Amino acid sequence: MHRIITIGREFGSGGRELGRRLAETLKIAYYDHEIIAEIARRTSLSEQYIQSVSERAPVFSFPIHTGRSFYPAPNPAFDQSLSVYREQSNILREMAEKSDCVIVGRCADYVLKDYHPFRIFVCANMESKMQRCRENAPEDEKLTDRELRQMIQSVDKRRAGYYSFYTGQNWGDRLNVDICINTSRMVIKEVVPAFARLFD
Amino acid sequence: MHRIITIGREFGSGGRELGRRLAETLKIAYYDHEIIAEIARRTSLSEQYIQSVSERAPVFSFPIHTGRSFYPAPNPAFDQSLSVYREQSNILREMAEKSDCVIVGRCADYVLKDYHPFRIFVCANMESKMQRCRENAPEDEKLTDRELRQMIQSVDKRRAGYYSFYTGQNWGDRLNVDICINTSRMVIKEVVPAFARLFD
């Protein structure tokens, strides 16, 4: 069975960088945006649309009811979110079958649980996440501190909701991962060689 | 400043073993029971008594009140718990001043925060903690599964209460530690060399 490493990460915690560097150090495949591109190819939905439903729990519109009867109304947006999730899960399993790899986000720890992945969760305090976002932001981004904080909270809330919707578990719960890394005081490229040793 | 590693740990998670092996690998001091012995030496309290108040939040008896007035009643047990904690904190600071070290439990991450320790928390699922307890138990121990489970829950609840009483923080909160290690699927002696690399 291949060596699968899954990475859950708070927005701005540097989890993606940690995953990419870990894959480089271990010389194994790294999957992140590639998954979106592959879903787009298979479903003929646009990458932009898939991105918009990706890592977001689907919104369920309640059915119309008249008097005492319920008529399940068609809910194409809800159904399509589930289809994207299903397709994504198929792709994750194919990737896990193909070779050793690092996979970022997408409930991969849960979807691939039969492959016994090594599950990493990456978090950081708000100050550190804001600083990292500032460093990586395009030059023309003009968010105030308050707006940036709200944006980070909103993305993390969405990811937690997505994870909980599809897995029934709490996102980042210490018993659902093997190690949880708080990057607030770390320089990621300096710690990756140590974590890579876990897979020697 | 010396390299200080603090280890918080759930009962049965193997945190103590991890700390001891880490100290051996890094060839630095390891403090655990030594702290109790040193407090006993300094306070002339018995090791047994110190052990009984150690990692346990003190119990506060409410003062007697007559009519509308409150008379703070003397509470020697409460005061002595605080004294033990104070003495313990002094000892931890002396240890941190003396040399690089690994310190297990005793809110060391909080007491030594000005030394910027590397803070590890070790946890595991109940099944794994029970198995480890069984492996390390004396041969004549005859706890049923239910009793063992209750004992583990009770020790962890006490440790959480102690930590929260003295630090005002949640025990094992992922943002109060640098890494949280779930040992449920790990063989501790196999992973220690990797974690030791964090301190190269």
Side-chain angles (χ1 to χ4, degrees):
Chain A
M1 201 182 278
H2 293 114
R3 186 175 45 176
I4 315 295
I5 302 167
T6 62
I7 305 210
R9 75 294 181 219
E10 289 180 358
F11 188 72
S13 67
R16 177 177 288 180
E17 181 191 344
L18 190 141
R20 189 174 45 73
R21 288 186 184 274
L22 198 54
E24 278 169 13
T25 308
L26 295 170
K27 298 184 173 50
I28 62 177
Y30 169 76
Y31 299 119
D32 181 2
H33 190 79
E34 295 74 3
I35 301 167
I36 303 270
E38 184 59 22
I39 302 171
R41 205 183 60 75
R42 295 189 189 189
T43 58
S44 75
L45 297 166
S46 74
E47 288 193 25
Q48 200 180 9
Y49 173 77
I50 294 163
Q51 185 78 60
S52 78
V53 298
S54 184
E55 302 203 79
R56 189 188 292 265
V59 178
F60 185 74
S61 320
F62 283 96
I64 302 161
H65 71 107
T66 320
R68 288 165 187 272
S69 306
F70 279 87
Y71 298 94
N75 193 332
F78 185 82
D79 294 344
Q80 209 156 53
S81 287
L82 296 187
S83 300
V84 166
Y85 181 78
R86 263 194 303 271
E87 198 54 63
Q88 182 173 275
S89 300
N90 292 337
I91 294 169
L92 292 177
R93 278 185 283 266
E94 286 172 33
M95 286 165 167
E97 287 288 339
K98 204 157 68 179
S99 68
D100 293 356
C101 59
V102 172
I103 302 174
V104 175
R106 297 170 179 82
C107 307
D109 56 331
Y110 182 81
V111 173
L112 300 178
K113 59 182 181 299
D114 294 341
Y115 294 81
H116 307 296
F118 190 89
R119 305 155 301 170
I120 299 176
F121 189 82
V122 186
C123 64
N125 62 30
M126 182 53 79
E127 191 187 342
S128 154
K129 292 195 284 192
M130 287 173 72
Q131 194 183 334
R132 196 180 302 274
C133 286
R134 292 269 183 233
E135 285 162 9
N136 296 336
E139 271 194 22
D140 59 346
E141 192 182 87
K142 297 272 178 275
L143 293 180
T144 63
D145 275 0
R146 185 156 175 261
E147 286 165 343
L148 180 56
R149 191 177 299 111
Q150 280 176 342
M151 198 263 277
I152 292 171
Q153 283 167 340
S154 146
V155 174
D156 282 347
K157 193 174 165 191
R158 200 179 73 207
R159 287 182 181 170
Y162 174 82
Y163 188 86
S164 157
F165 179 85
Y166 285 111
T167 70
Q169 298 177 344
N170 287 332
W171 190 56
D173 184 321
R174 65 184 183 222
L175 290 181
N176 292 335
V177 298
D178 295 294
I179 54 173
C180 178
I181 304 170
N182 172 1
T183 56
S184 309
R185 300 185 189 177
M186 292 180 190
V187 178
I188 290 174
K189 70 175 173 183
E190 289 177 5
V191 296
V192 163
F195 291 119
R197 279 290 304 275
L198 286 166
F199 308 99
D200 270 356
Chain B
M1 204 183 278
H2 293 114
R3 186 175 48 173
I4 313 297
I5 301 168
T6 62
I7 304 208
R9 75 296 182 217
E10 289 180 358
F11 188 71
S13 67
R16 177 177 288 181
E17 182 191 343
L18 191 140
R20 190 176 44 76
R21 288 186 183 274
L22 198 54
E24 277 169 13
T25 308
L26 296 169
K27 299 183 174 49
I28 63 177
Y30 169 74
Y31 298 121
D32 183 359
H33 190 78
E34 295 75 2
I35 301 167
I36 303 270
E38 184 59 22
I39 301 171
R41 207 184 57 77
R42 295 189 189 190
T43 58
S44 73
L45 296 166
S46 74
E47 288 193 25
Q48 200 180 8
Y49 173 77
I50 295 163
Q51 185 78 60
S52 77
V53 298
S54 184
E55 303 203 79
R56 186 189 293 265
V59 178
F60 186 73
S61 320
F62 282 97
I64 302 158
H65 72 104
T66 320
R68 288 164 186 270
S69 307
F70 278 88
Y71 299 94
N75 193 333
F78 185 81
D79 293 345
Q80 209 156 52
S81 287
L82 296 187
S83 300
V84 166
Y85 181 79
R86 263 195 304 272
E87 198 54 63
Q88 182 174 274
S89 300
N90 291 336
I91 294 169
L92 292 177
R93 277 186 285 268
E94 286 171 33
M95 285 164 167
E97 287 288 340
K98 202 157 68 177
S99 69
D100 293 357
C101 59
V102 173
I103 301 173
V104 174
R106 298 171 176 81
C107 307
D109 56 330
Y110 182 81
V111 174
L112 300 178
K113 60 182 181 299
D114 294 342
Y115 294 81
H116 307 295
F118 190 89
R119 303 155 303 170
I120 299 177
F121 189 81
V122 186
C123 63
N125 62 30
M126 181 54 78
E127 192 186 342
S128 154
K129 290 195 285 192
M130 286 173 72
Q131 193 182 335
R132 195 180 303 274
C133 286
R134 291 267 184 234
E135 285 162 8
N136 297 334
E139 271 195 21
D140 58 346
E141 193 182 87
K142 296 273 179 278
L143 293 180
T144 64
D145 275 0
R146 185 157 176 260
E147 286 165 341
L148 180 57
R149 191 178 299 109
Q150 280 176 342
M151 199 262 277
I152 293 172
Q153 284 167 339
S154 146
V155 174
D156 282 348
K157 193 174 166 193
R158 200 178 73 205
R159 287 181 181 172
Y162 174 81
Y163 188 85
S164 158
F165 179 85
Y166 285 110
T167 71
Q169 298 178 346
N170 287 332
W171 190 56
D173 183 322
R174 65 185 183 222
L175 290 180
N176 291 335
V177 298
D178 295 294
I179 54 174
C180 178
I181 304 170
N182 173 0
T183 56
S184 310
R185 298 186 191 177
M186 292 180 189
V187 179
I188 289 174
K189 71 176 174 183
E190 288 177 5
V191 296
V192 163
F195 291 118
R197 279 289 304 275
L198 285 166
F199 309 98
D200 270 358

